[in-house]
Amino acid sequence: MGEGRKNVSVRLIEGKAPVMASCRGCGRRIESCGHGPAGNFLCSSCHHQQEAKGREKGGLGHLGFKALVLSGILAVGFSGMSLCVLYLLGTGRAGWFALLLTFELLVLVCPLIVFRHLRHVALLAAALYCPLGVWCLLWSVAPGVKWEYSGATRWGGIMFIALGLLGLYIYLRDLKRLPRW
């Protein structure tokens, strides 16, 4: 308690009023008094990347970010589930349907689990793209799907896995390089 009073009195003596910003990932109020981070930093609670400008800039706030991420994840998940159901109705192969549906549920669950705790965009992309890539690879080799774009779907799956691994690399790089505030 005495430490908090000391910080307030030091700020008043220095003549610098604290600058308050809101995290765009979790909405946490971040206080900075001039001696805070310069440049980019990570929110210490959700790891969402921030910019230290000394003022809040307009644009997408944390509620807009949450709505955009959740609607995107749900749209990808439900479209994949509808493809799995159409596969079952078209081919009648319950084993492959269960395998495709399992990986499609991973496409939904993995980013939602990450989103519940961390809001770093690169990590969210990695949690979405890696299972989606595996699902695309499985979809391209599924028996009974006789269509001309299975090669493109296979390369799309490889691309999604590569994007997911790139997102994981960017997250780990930011975690080591950027300070948390």
Side-chain angles (χ1 to χ4, degrees):
M1 183 123 155
E3 186 70 30
R5 289 183 184 183
K6 179 181 172 186
N7 287 339
V8 170
S9 62
V10 168
R11 275 187 239 130
L12 292 176
I13 291 171
E14 292 175 357
K16 293 183 179 179
V19 176
M20 298 297 286
S22 180
C23 174
R24 295 185 181 285
C26 64
R28 181 179 72 93
R29 300 294 292 169
I30 301 170
E31 181 180 331
S32 172
C33 334
H35 63 273
N40 292 338
F41 64 97
L42 297 177
C43 172
S44 62
S45 128
C46 72
H47 295 179
H48 189 78
Q49 188 171 351
Q50 310 289 324
E51 291 181 27
K53 294 283 188 191
R55 62 176 177 82
E56 288 188 38
K57 62 181 186 179
L60 191 65
H62 77 279
L63 291 176
F65 176 76
K66 287 167 61 171
L68 186 66
V69 168
L70 290 175
S71 63
I73 291 170
L74 292 177
V76 169
F78 289 136
S79 63
M81 280 190 203
S82 65
L83 282 173
C84 290
V85 169
L86 287 173
Y87 177 79
L88 178 66
L89 294 175
T91 63
R93 297 177 190 244
W96 271 93
F97 165 74
L99 184 65
L100 287 169
L101 188 63
T102 300
F103 276 95
E104 186 56 39
L105 289 175
L106 284 175
V107 169
L108 271 173
V109 170
C110 288
L112 289 176
I113 288 172
V114 169
F115 183 73
R116 185 172 180 213
H117 301 289
L118 300 174
R119 306 279 167 88
H120 196 282
V121 175
L123 185 62
L124 286 170
L128 175 70
Y129 286 148
C130 284
L132 184 61
V134 173
W135 184 84
C136 286
L137 287 174
L138 286 174
W139 182 261
S140 69
V141 297
V145 179
K146 305 266 192 248
W147 64 314
E148 59 197 41
Y149 298 115
S150 62
T153 306
R154 186 175 317 120
W155 282 108
I158 292 169
M159 181 193 69
F160 283 140
I161 291 173
L163 285 174
L165 293 175
L166 177 66
L168 186 61
Y169 167 75
I170 291 172
Y171 170 70
L172 292 174
R173 183 201 64 190
D174 284 350
L175 200 59
K176 289 179 183 176
R177 184 179 57 114
L178 296 175
R180 292 182 203 104
W181 198 257

